[in-house]
Amino acid sequence: MWIVSERPDIVPEHDLRSTISSYNTVVGGINDDPQGYHETITRCFIHAVRMHLAAMVDASLTDQVNALSRSRLAHHD
């Protein structure tokens, strides 16, 4: 959410692939088909964050994050 709302210099749909893959490698993770970076999940998450932010324009980032974590968008199912 911070990247989407506070970092106009980062294009999440493009830049998160290398960011997440690099992070996974640094912490000993694996980047292959069944684990690591997943394009569809990441794009879905970015879309959900953008929808949520659009509905909470005047709220602080903390309030936006807390509200998203309590919303139906955060449910694992």
Side-chain angles (χ1 to χ4, degrees), residues 4-71:
V4 171
S5 68
E6 304 295 322
R7 293 294 304 268
D9 58 311
I10 297 174
V11 180
E13 294 83 354
H14 177 265
D15 299 331
L16 284 184
R17 172 187 291 271
S18 63
T19 302
I20 293 170
S21 294
S22 294
Y23 173 80
N24 289 342
T25 301
V26 167
V27 298
I30 299 170
N31 290 302
D32 60 11
D33 285 341
Q35 50 193 334
Y37 177 80
H38 193 283
E39 183 77 18
T40 304
I41 291 171
T42 303
R43 287 185 176 265
C44 182
F45 180 75
I46 293 166
H47 179 73
V49 166
R50 289 190 192 284
M51 285 178 23
H52 182 74
L53 288 173
M56 296 192 67
V57 176
D58 295 326
S60 71
L61 183 60
T62 301
D63 289 341
Q64 291 169 334
V65 169
N66 289 335
L68 178 60
S69 69
R70 292 186 305 266
S71 77

